[in-house]
Amino acid sequence: MQIKELLEQKPEGQQVTIKGWVRTKRGQATIAFININDGSTINNIQAVAEEGKIDQEILKKVTTGACVAIKGALVASAGSGQAVEVIADSIEIYGTADETFPMQPKKHSMEFLREKAHLRFRTNTFGAIFRIRHALAFAVHKYYNDNGFFYLHTPIITASDAEGAGEMFRVSTFEPNKAPKNEAGEVDFSQDFFGRETSLTVSGQLEGELGAMALSKIYTFGPTFRAENSNTTRHLAEFWMIEPEVAFYELEDNMNLAEDFVKYVINYALENCVDDLNFLEKRLLEEEKSKPQNERSELSLLEKLRFVVENSFERLTYTEAIDILLKSKANQKKQFQFPVKWGIDLQSEHERYLVEKHFKKPVILTNYPKEIKAFYMKQDEDGKTVRAMDVLFPGIGEIIGGSQREDDYEKLVTRVKEVGIDPENIWWYLDTRKFGSAPHAGFGLGFERLVLFVTGMGNIRDVIPFPRTPKNAEF
């Protein structure tokens, strides 16, 4: 049995075997108390090793980090802090760990743990984070399955730049400095593996739209890549995206889906990750104590999660949001780092002001200027804005970005040319507007940003097992 199940057993002296890694060992010559964890829960189980039962030479090898199997009787615990414990009859050492084991039972900095990413899973914090990450991923699939969506596996290697930003990782079999050149002196990608220039995808959206034009409701959930040289607490070069795409949906339907979906997955974590969330909340409360009073969060972690689940999201247009920001005291007192005017791409400080200070609830902004949004978004009748929507959360800013897609062939081709994309490169995407076009909409949710929000962590590198960032691909 896993430790999670054992801790829920009624102790009647039954024989059990526990297998896991030693977190701590304490005691005297006559008795030792060993805390074991196997990752199934944040809670350890205590094994009691009494003199005479366990060989002292074996007991010496039971150190923090060692992997053991302990057989014994499950009894009611005599001490406080746990309901049951195991009175050890025998201990088998699977793997020893000497004093150089880095995860000794003391406080470690996040920077230190990132350097030891191969071992950081063994800490309480990272055990909790990755159990919650699993629960959220499961909830994503459950939500879409239960709502009639089909899971579509879109390609990781692509010849199209869905975002139009150009910050993509090239995929090639050419050896460095030996790539063949054409007559113009440029790299001749026609001789490469795929016969053309290819990259790692930044989004599964364009291919997802093709699926939605036949299956009606699809979603993608896979790795995406961006070669953006950003060393911030919110950016990764490799991250996971969830992208639903739905035929016959317009902007209002898209907003309803985004709100319902994100509330569902957060609520799933609240119901199924109680011990881990309680641990992370206590950890955050300790961190908050060291901050100046004016920098402390008004809400605890669990309060913040319930705040999202229990509040209807405020919906307003980009133009209305700019008006609010222009009239705000923060703007009048020049407290914003970035200036506010119509046409700007809102910064995190602007988004968080709207959520945390003005509305005090999650916000969905719509109808952004077309110049700051992607080519595929449906144009409004005013010719200036598009039917975009961004969902903004407390502490994090934008967590979801989406839109109703342009379904008019002529308008889409014109826009594609305006932004400098060769229509020949996405002829297959444009075809869906020629053959049975339909209104449709979708959005993208960066999975790590969701995990960041739910766990309350401060750095996105701590919510993915092995972060890929500029100059960092160690593990």
Side-chain angles (χ1 to χ4, degrees):
M1 273 188 198
Q2 289 190 298
I3 287 171
K4 184 179 182 181
E5 297 171 279
L6 274 176
L7 292 172
E8 293 166 358
Q9 293 285 304
K10 186 179 179 184
E12 295 174 330
Q14 65 267 44
Q15 284 293 305
V16 297
T17 302
I18 51 175
K19 297 180 181 182
W21 292 268
V22 177
R23 286 291 173 84
T24 61
K25 184 180 81 171
R26 58 187 176 81
Q28 305 85 32
T30 56
I31 192 166
F33 301 97
I34 306 160
N35 275 313
I36 311 290
N37 190 284
D38 65 359
S40 61
T41 170
I42 197 156
N43 300 306
N44 304 323
I45 193 164
Q46 179 172 277
V48 182
E50 298 171 348
E51 188 182 25
K53 276 190 176 181
I54 307 298
D55 185 282
Q56 285 298 311
E57 288 306 308
I58 288 178
L59 211 50
K60 282 178 186 175
K61 295 176 181 176
V62 178
T63 57
T64 296
C67 186
V68 299
I70 299 179
K71 292 182 180 178
L74 188 71
V75 300
S77 179
S80 61
Q82 66 275 330
V84 298
E85 62 189 17
V86 174
I87 305 299
D89 292 325
S90 69
I91 299 178
E92 181 182 355
I93 310 286
Y94 285 141
T96 58
D98 63 20
E99 66 279 357
T100 63
F101 176 61
M103 303 296 128
Q104 295 296 330
K106 62 180 182 180
K107 191 171 177 64
H108 299 286
S109 71
M110 288 292 122
E111 290 79 9
F112 172 81
L113 292 172
R114 277 176 223 131
E115 291 169 8
K116 302 283 185 280
H118 60 308
L119 296 170
R120 66 179 182 170
F121 300 102
R122 306 236 201 136
T123 64
N124 281 334
T125 299
F126 285 95
I129 289 166
F130 292 116
R131 280 187 294 271
I132 291 169
R133 184 181 169 108
H134 159 79
L136 290 168
F138 178 80
V140 167
H141 288 298
K142 181 167 172 53
Y143 176 85
Y144 287 118
N145 181 71
D146 292 353
N147 283 281
F149 284 71
F150 299 106
Y151 182 27
L152 197 70
H153 296 98
T154 51
I156 290 171
I157 299 172
T158 181
S160 64
D161 180 0
E163 301 297 319
E167 295 165 330
M168 301 176 78
F169 291 100
R170 182 171 288 126
V171 174
S172 174
T173 56
F174 289 154
E175 288 187 43
N177 305 320
K178 291 184 182 177
K181 303 284 176 69
N182 58 24
E183 290 177 1
E186 299 164 335
V187 173
D188 184 3
F189 286 104
S190 69
Q191 296 185 50
D192 207 350
F193 186 90
F194 292 107
R196 62 186 303 173
E197 189 172 1
T198 53
S199 304
L200 295 177
T201 188
V202 297
S203 166
Q205 180 205 313
L206 301 190
E207 293 88 351
E209 285 186 53
L210 312 185
M213 288 295 99
L215 299 169
S216 288
K217 299 167 84 170
I218 68 94
Y219 73 105
T220 76
F221 187 176
T224 50
F225 308 84
R226 192 160 294 170
E228 183 181 358
N229 192 15
S230 290
N231 263 309
T232 77
T233 58
R234 292 171 33 146
H235 288 90
L236 291 164
E238 175 185 283
F239 52 100
W240 288 67
M241 285 284 285
I242 300 149
E243 296 175 294
E245 212 52 58
V246 196
F248 317 117
Y249 265 32
E250 299 193 13
L251 184 60
E252 188 75 20
D253 308 300
N254 206 27
M255 289 192 281
N256 293 341
L257 175 67
E259 181 169 345
D260 190 57
F261 163 62
V262 80
K263 284 181 173 179
Y264 175 91
V265 292
I266 291 172
N267 198 55
Y268 185 90
L270 281 167
E271 290 178 356
N272 292 277
C273 304
V274 176
D275 289 346
D276 289 322
L277 285 172
N278 282 336
F279 169 82
L280 290 173
E281 176 165 75
K282 285 176 189 164
R283 178 187 171 278
L284 276 173
L285 288 171
E286 284 300 313
E287 269 190 9
E288 289 286 303
K289 287 178 185 174
S290 63
K291 292 180 181 177
Q293 193 72 39
N294 63 329
E295 289 181 23
R296 293 181 189 177
S297 175
E298 293 177 21
L299 299 173
S300 72
L301 176 60
L302 289 169
E303 285 171 341
K304 189 174 68 171
L305 299 182
R306 293 192 190 104
F307 167 90
V308 169
V309 170
E310 293 167 6
N311 277 298
S312 294
F313 295 5
E314 189 71 32
R315 301 178 182 193
L316 68 157
T317 66
Y318 168 93
T319 302
E320 290 168 331
I322 289 291
D323 197 42
I324 288 167
L325 291 167
L326 285 170
K327 292 175 180 173
S328 69
K329 284 184 181 176
N331 187 56
Q332 287 163 7
K333 291 181 178 178
K334 295 187 166 44
Q335 290 171 344
F336 288 133
Q337 184 184 345
F338 296 92
V340 178
K341 64 176 181 177
W342 198 94
I344 63 160
D345 205 349
L346 292 178
Q347 299 294 322
S348 181
E349 61 176 343
H350 305 138
E351 295 169 341
R352 289 183 61 179
Y353 176 85
L354 293 166
V355 175
E356 296 164 30
K357 299 285 191 281
H358 189 83
F359 290 109
K360 297 191 184 299
K361 61 164 78 170
V363 169
I364 307 180
L365 288 188
T366 64
N367 305 89
Y368 282 76
K370 74 173 185 179
E371 303 306 328
I372 60 171
K373 287 296 182 182
F375 71 89
Y376 49 71
M377 296 188 178
K378 187 164 184 67
Q379 295 173 46
D380 287 315
E381 290 176 6
D382 63 8
K384 295 194 298 182
T385 58
V386 289
R387 291 183 200 173
M389 59 149 230
D390 286 352
V391 180
L392 314 179
F393 267 21
I396 206 164
E398 182 202 328
I399 194 165
I400 287 176
S403 71
Q404 185 176 340
R405 316 309 191 189
E406 182 57 76
D407 51 82
D408 182 286
Y409 177 77
E410 295 300 334
K411 283 186 179 178
L412 185 58
V413 170
T414 301
R415 187 72 184 124
V416 163
K417 290 175 180 175
E418 279 176 11
V419 299
I421 297 173
D422 183 351
E424 282 298 308
N425 288 342
I426 53 167
W427 63 269
W428 44 270
Y429 182 73
L430 298 172
D431 261 10
T432 57
R433 275 67 173 176
K434 286 165 66 178
F435 309 128
S437 188
H440 61 288
F443 60 79
L445 166 64
F447 186 53
E448 281 71 28
R449 288 209 179 168
L450 175 67
V451 183
L452 196 69
F453 181 76
V454 173
T455 58
M457 298 303 291
N459 194 317
I460 203 161
R461 299 173 194 210
D462 298 326
V463 297
I464 191 167
F466 304 104
R468 297 289 179 252
T469 53
K471 306 287 187 287
N472 177 37
E474 180 69 24
F475 301 97

